[in-house]
């Protein structure tokens, strides 16, 4: 459903991506791994339309979206979850979710979608009148995911959803992602520093180094690959 070929992105003189190829098939969870500065976030920014590639092509559901404006991509179901802390802290949980429906004119449809999010994330339902800023870190991350779900993504992109969370919560957040994938058939592109956890939940993964793909394969194979275990999983 998503195909990226020869992607190059520069920030001024700095080359962040050089000739990157990647694909996500319908229904897959794909992890993007790699050290700090490898280019993971830049891939998502290019896919969301926040940075313009100098070269390469992004095809989404058979359509060239390389230069499509961000709202057009969201409307087509290519949706990035904003970083956890980017929720509106003075608005309630429910109001934050309503904002996820901004592209949808039909209020009843938005209400239906929010009800689905509450069914999937009952913790949010319990806290619907609570101000976003008073939620715990994990709950804020769930809210950011919930808000993205209101747009009915077909390919959901997440940038380090486990950042700053305690180990138990990392698993909880990734379980929610896996649940969305299973229940809604939503494809997922997941950027994670937590290599071990990501490989447990993903079908396939790409390891980026210096703006290119260093390794790729089924998650199970990569988790057993010496190059991955030595460089990214520690030796324990
Ligand atoms: P991290 O895991 O630390 O978030 P990452 O793999 O997501 O890293 P990117 O954020 O994509 O890496 O950064 C790739 C490269 O581009 C890095 O060398 C980074 O310093 C550089 N870079 C990213 N954003 C900018 C920017 N706005 N201006 C200049 N250079 C940037």
């Amino acid at each position: 459903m998503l195909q990226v070929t020869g992607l190059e992105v520069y920030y001024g003189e700095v080359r962040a991506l050089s000739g990157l190829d990647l694909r996500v098939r319908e229904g897959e969870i794909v992890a993007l791994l790699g050290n700090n500065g490898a280019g993971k976030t830049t891939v998502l920014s290019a896919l969301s339309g926040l940075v313009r590639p100098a070269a390469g092509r992004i095809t989404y559901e058979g359509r060239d979206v390389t230069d499509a404006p961000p709202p057009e991509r969201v409307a087509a179901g290519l949706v990035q979850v904003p970083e956890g802390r980017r929720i509106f802290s003075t608005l309630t949980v429910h109001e934050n979710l309503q904002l996820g429906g901004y592209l949808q004119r039909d209020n009843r449809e938005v209400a239906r979608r929010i009800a689905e999010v509450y069914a999937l994330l009952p913790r949010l339902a319990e806290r619907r009148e609570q101000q976003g800023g008073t939620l715990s870190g994990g709950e804020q991350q769930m809210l950011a995911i919930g808000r993205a779900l209101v747009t009915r993504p077909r390919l959901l992109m997440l940038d380090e959803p486990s950042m700053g969370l305690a180990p138990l919560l990392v698993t909880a957040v990734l379980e929610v992602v896996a649940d969305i994938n299973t229940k809604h058939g939503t494809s997922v592109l997941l950027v994670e520093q937590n290599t071990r956890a990501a490989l447990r939940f993903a079908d396939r993964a790409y390891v980026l180094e210096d703006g290119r793909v260093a390794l790729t394969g089924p998650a199970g194979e990569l988790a057993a690959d010496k190059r991955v275990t030595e460089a990214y999983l520690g030796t324990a």
Side-chain angles (χ1 to χ4, degrees):
M1 77 181 319
L2 177 81
Q3 183 144 18
V4 174
T5 46
L7 200 64
E8 300 219 3
V9 171
Y10 289 82
Y11 296 107
E13 301 279 289
V14 178
R15 182 151 78 176
L17 298 180
S18 44
L20 182 118
D21 297 331
L22 171 152
R23 67 190 301 163
V24 180
R25 301 192 188 95
E26 189 92 43
E28 267 190 323
I29 300 182
V30 173
L32 268 185
L33 310 171
N35 288 329
N36 289 121
K40 306 180 296 294
T41 298
T42 303
V43 173
L44 296 196
S45 301
L47 292 173
S48 297
L50 304 177
V51 300
R52 186 169 284 253
R57 181 198 279 257
I58 302 167
T59 310
Y60 170 72
E61 298 201 311
R63 206 176 118 214
D64 185 342
V65 296
T66 316
D67 297 314
E72 223 175 281
R73 304 186 200 211
V74 173
L78 186 58
V79 179
Q80 181 169 354
V81 173
E83 211 237 293
R85 318 272 182 250
R86 291 260 193 88
I87 54 149
F88 294 94
S89 57
T90 59
L91 299 184
T92 65
V93 165
H94 196 73
E95 288 164 342
N96 267 281
L97 292 177
Q98 283 174 324
L99 284 173
Y102 73 103
L103 283 173
Q104 175 58 246
R105 298 253 145 75
D106 179 352
N107 286 337
R108 271 181 311 185
E109 177 59 23
V110 174
R112 253 196 306 274
R113 293 181 185 185
I114 291 177
E116 274 182 27
V117 171
Y118 284 147
L120 197 68
L121 301 166
R123 270 180 100 87
L124 292 184
E126 288 162 22
R127 290 166 172 74
R128 54 182 289 156
E129 299 308 330
Q130 193 173 325
Q131 281 201 347
T134 65
L135 296 174
S136 74
E139 289 164 356
Q140 290 189 19
Q141 191 54 254
M142 303 275 188
L143 179 55
I145 293 173
R147 197 174 69 191
L149 288 180
V150 176
T151 63
R152 280 275 164 86
R154 300 198 13 83
L155 174 56
L156 190 64
M157 300 183 279
L158 300 109
D159 195 353
E160 301 197 26
S162 73
M163 182 139 74
L165 299 184
L168 219 58
L169 278 175
V170 171
T171 309
V173 168
L174 292 180
E175 269 167 3
V176 163
V177 172
D179 225 26
I180 294 162
N181 170 260
T182 313
K183 291 191 177 143
H184 296 258
T186 312
S187 309
V188 175
L189 184 59
L190 171 72
V191 167
E192 257 302 333
Q193 284 272 357
N194 193 328
T195 305
R196 197 182 301 274
L199 288 176
R200 228 177 28 240
F201 286 92
D203 298 302
R204 286 190 307 118
Y206 291 85
V207 179
L208 303 197
E209 264 170 31
D210 271 342
R212 39 178 108 236
V213 176
L215 280 171
T216 181
E221 277 176 29
L222 288 181
D225 188 309
K226 247 184 132 172
R227 290 166 293 179
V228 175
T229 50
E230 279 169 6
Y232 302 100
L233 296 177
T235 45

